[in-house]
Amino acid sequence: MIPARLLALIAGACLAPAAMAEIPPRQAAALYQRICSVCHGDKGDGQSRARASLSTTPRDFTAEDARKELPRELMIAIVREGKYNTAMVGRKTRLSEEQMEGVVDFIRTAFMPPEPGTPLARGYAIYRQSCASCHGDRGQGGLAGHAAAKVPAISHARPDGQPSRQRMIEAVSEERHLKVTARGGVRLSASDVEAVVDYVRTAFIDSLADHTASRAQ
């Protein structure tokens, strides 16, 4: 049950004027790293360097129930005003409304599981089942155990640049790639490939989640 104080904060957020401009995703990612990651962790899972010294456990944004329990308006209100009886202090004197909304949107896109029943949720499920064992839980890359070969990160830092959506679909659709993903028990269809590519681009590229993931390596 949401406390009355937080309900009031949500109501205030809903009545507030709409933001005139959005901050770029890269700026939102940088703000998260500078202000939020010390408690919530580089991956948004609460596994931070400071967690042992905090009186309350930092929120794990990657938990399955996070999106349901934390609507966007509530998150913005908490960032603005803080949360009573926790280490979470309000940032309204340090951040603009656009910056607070940007950080919240970054968290929701980069760390929270997608809304159930949406195309992104389908891509998320496919990624976890068929892709994460090689590419990492946040697209950070890693060692493919069967070959002991380095799997590249899904990152803007790639020397050859980030591939387009179509190129990513073509790469995932290659027979050699489908054989690897099929080891998880499912052979991806054409629509599965599109769903997982769209999830990867939304969660790891467009939101700059790869920026936070690389900090944890």
Side-chain angles (χ1 to χ4, degrees):
M1 183 176 181
I2 299 175
R5 182 174 180 273
L6 289 182
L7 286 173
L9 292 177
I10 296 174
C14 293
L15 292 174
M20 296 301 293
E22 296 180 355
I23 66 172
R26 186 173 295 277
Q27 184 181 341
L31 284 172
Y32 177 87
Q33 282 296 331
R34 180 165 59 86
I35 297 174
C36 313
S37 66
V38 65
C39 291
H40 290 285
D42 291 332
K43 297 183 180 182
D45 56 5
Q47 299 301 306
S48 67
R49 298 174 293 279
R51 67 184 184 279
S53 62
L54 299 175
S55 58
T56 55
T57 303
R59 183 68 194 225
D60 178 2
F61 297 122
T62 68
E64 291 293 336
D65 58 355
R67 185 176 293 274
K68 179 175 65 175
E69 295 180 359
L70 291 172
R72 181 177 184 270
E73 292 78 11
L74 174 59
M75 293 180 67
I76 293 170
I78 292 174
V79 173
R80 183 189 299 114
E81 304 293 343
K83 190 173 182 181
Y84 178 71
N85 207 29
T86 73
M88 180 68 198
V89 298
R91 303 291 180 176
K92 62 184 177 183
T93 61
R94 295 183 58 186
L95 300 177
S96 68
E97 191 70 18
E98 291 83 358
Q99 287 175 320
M100 290 186 286
E101 292 185 9
V103 167
V104 166
D105 288 339
F106 169 76
I107 291 170
R108 295 179 66 82
T109 303
F111 303 131
M112 288 186 172
E115 191 71 35
T118 63
L120 283 181
R122 180 185 175 198
Y124 168 72
I126 294 169
Y127 183 87
R128 291 181 67 188
Q129 179 177 5
S130 302
C131 311
S133 60
C134 288
H135 288 286
D137 58 345
R138 300 301 312 165
Q140 70 269 29
L143 290 177
H146 62 279
K150 181 70 177 176
V151 176
I154 303 168
S155 168
H156 282 287
R158 287 168 54 119
D160 57 347
Q162 190 62 45
S164 66
R165 178 180 184 271
Q166 183 57 39
R167 179 67 193 98
M168 291 178 71
I169 290 173
E170 292 171 355
V172 178
S173 300
E174 291 176 0
E175 186 63 25
R176 61 182 180 83
H177 203 159
L178 291 178
K179 285 181 179 179
V180 173
T181 57
R183 291 171 183 168
V186 178
R187 186 173 180 85
L188 303 184
S189 67
S191 61
D192 289 337
V193 170
E194 291 191 12
V196 75
V197 165
D198 287 340
Y199 167 72
V200 164
R201 293 184 66 82
T202 298
F204 304 151
I205 298 174
D206 295 341
S207 72
L208 299 189
D210 58 284
H211 174 76
T212 62
S214 65
R215 289 279 301 271
Q217 291 183 349

